[in-house]
Amino acid sequence: MSRFADLFMGMLGASPKKPEKVSPKVQQIMLLKYEDKDRYIKEKLHARAHHNPSHKWRNRRWAVLLAVNLLFVFSFWLDIQLLEGSLTASRFAGFHLIDLNSALQVMLAHKHIIVNLFIGTFTVFLLWVLLGGRTFCSWVCPYHLVSELTEKLHLKLVDKKIVTDHEFHRGTRTVFWVLFGLMSIVTGYTVFETLSPTGILSRALIYGPGLALGWVALLLLFEVFWSRRAWCRYICPIGLTYGAVGAISPLQISYHVEHCFHEGDCRKVCLVPHVLDVTIKGRASDETMGLGPDCTRCGLCVDACPTSALRFEVKGLSKLL
């Protein structure tokens, strides 16, 4: 199976696999790394001593996320009609923009392709093909930001042994993706849109709070006291839809095995740590590897890496420079 297929299956819930073949270049890199252990340890200590913890990409991401959502708010409250609607469906300077997963749910509920809806998704489709992965999740979704903040409380409670983190099989997200689609077909109603904290928070920010925020609060409590980032990791079909759309994106976080010390700092902060399985010693098959479609492009691993083994790159561009 090709690496692309492995990464796509990993997004659907399959466990990462050890590479069947490792390139001669990687074999040479690993040999040079460990033939002189004293030198290798000194390099690790030096890198750590000179690494200044950064939140550069996190801060940029939060700024973009807040700007996008506040633009909806200000456009509505100031009646400037620049960005109308919500994240589910909107109109920017006259151009219709429709969330891909919402459009899919509506067409399944109506049981036919709605031409106007299809046209409204085209611009959004192209945007996320270019940006790739689950960029929408970490750079736009308001629930992602709220959940990211409450995650800090969950980790503190786990560290103090007040609560225990419970993990589920990642394949449950694929099951829910199919289940929500079937419910739309059977009921003729977009069931997921009623439950989606993304849509609920977006509409609450723009038009004012409602009773649906109680459902969002219950989700956050479940994540704080039971399972870390449960909605995003195991239930929400939005990330799966955008991950599939952005699977061929030229923009990616790439891993450079030559610069990695395999200590796992990146995996500790990653929102979807299975995409960083390649950073484990012996898991890289090529000198440089992209992290795949399930990566949210949040940049937390890039900030955490002391040796710049993880970087934002555009495919093919580095070879031209």
Side-chain angles (χ1 to χ4, degrees):
M1 187 180 292
S2 68
R3 172 158 170 79
F4 178 84
D6 283 339
L7 291 173
F8 199 88
M9 292 304 296
M11 183 176 67
L12 298 180
S15 299
K17 298 178 180 179
K18 290 184 178 180
E20 296 179 0
K21 294 182 179 179
V22 177
S23 71
K25 182 65 175 176
V26 172
Q27 293 178 24
Q28 182 182 12
I29 288 172
M30 299 306 288
L31 180 63
L32 291 173
K33 274 186 179 184
Y34 301 113
E35 66 178 1
D36 186 350
K37 290 188 177 180
D38 290 336
R39 176 187 58 81
Y40 181 68
I41 292 172
K42 287 179 180 178
E43 288 180 354
K44 288 173 64 174
L45 294 174
H46 177 80
R48 283 202 166 277
H50 291 80
H51 176 59
N52 295 318
S54 168
H55 297 297
K56 179 179 69 175
W57 283 105
R58 186 204 67 182
N59 293 341
R60 289 175 178 176
R61 179 167 51 84
W62 284 4
V64 170
L65 192 152
L66 290 171
V68 170
N69 285 277
L70 288 177
L71 186 57
F72 278 105
V73 176
F74 293 144
S75 294
F76 176 74
W77 287 102
L78 299 178
D79 196 24
I80 58 177
Q81 299 180 355
L82 177 62
L83 185 58
E84 304 170 272
S86 66
L87 285 177
T88 302
S90 59
R91 187 170 64 178
F92 178 71
F95 291 95
H96 289 276
L97 304 171
I98 302 173
D99 170 64
L100 299 180
N101 193 76
S102 300
L104 176 63
Q105 295 289 321
V106 170
M107 285 189 280
L108 288 174
H110 286 267
K111 300 177 182 63
H112 70 274
I113 295 176
I114 303 171
V115 177
N116 289 339
L117 202 63
F118 184 79
I119 294 172
T121 63
F122 184 69
T123 304
V124 177
F125 178 85
L126 287 180
L127 176 64
W128 298 115
V129 164
L130 292 174
L131 295 177
R134 292 169 53 197
T135 317
F136 173 86
C137 300
S138 59
W139 288 78
V140 177
C141 177
Y143 183 78
H144 188 282
L145 176 59
V146 176
S147 183
E148 191 174 345
L149 295 173
T150 55
E151 179 185 29
K152 298 180 184 300
L153 176 57
H154 172 81
L155 293 176
K156 285 183 179 179
L157 294 176
V158 170
D159 187 54
K160 293 180 179 179
K161 301 189 185 316
I162 297 175
V163 301
T164 302
D165 184 45
H166 298 81
E167 296 184 359
F168 300 94
H169 193 284
R170 291 185 298 101
T172 56
R173 187 180 57 173
T174 304
V175 173
F176 273 108
W177 191 92
V178 174
L179 184 61
F180 282 124
L182 289 175
M183 285 192 287
S184 294
I185 294 172
V186 172
T187 65
Y189 186 72
T190 54
V191 177
F192 172 73
E193 292 305 316
T194 305
L195 301 174
S196 171
T198 302
I200 292 171
L201 282 177
S202 180
R203 290 187 292 271
L205 282 169
I206 301 165
Y207 307 116
L211 292 176
L213 285 178
W215 164 243
V216 178
L218 288 175
L219 284 176
L220 291 172
L221 287 173
F222 182 79
E223 292 183 350
V224 168
F225 294 105
W226 189 260
S227 182
R228 178 184 183 184
R229 304 300 295 272
W231 177 265
C232 300
R233 287 185 175 184
Y234 309 118
I235 301 174
C236 184
I238 296 176
L240 191 57
T241 300
Y242 279 106
V245 168
I248 59 173
S249 170
L251 177 64
Q252 62 183 3
I253 292 180
S254 60
Y255 169 65
H256 299 256
V257 66
E258 184 176 5
H259 302 284
C260 183
F261 287 137
H262 313 285
E263 293 184 294
D265 290 348
C266 54
R267 297 191 298 276
K268 292 176 184 176
V269 299
C270 185
L271 306 175
V272 278
H274 67 277
V275 303
L276 285 167
D277 182 78
V278 70
T279 65
I280 298 172
K281 191 189 304 180
R283 293 296 180 93
S285 58
D286 293 307
E287 184 181 3
T288 302
M289 306 179 73
L291 297 188
D294 210 22
C295 172
T296 67
R297 274 53 165 187
C298 69
L300 289 177
C301 62
V302 179
D303 286 338
C305 183
T307 59
S308 298
L310 293 158
R311 313 165 196 170
F312 276 100
E313 291 185 341
V314 177
K315 288 180 184 176
L317 188 60
S318 59
K319 296 180 181 179
L320 298 175
L321 300 176

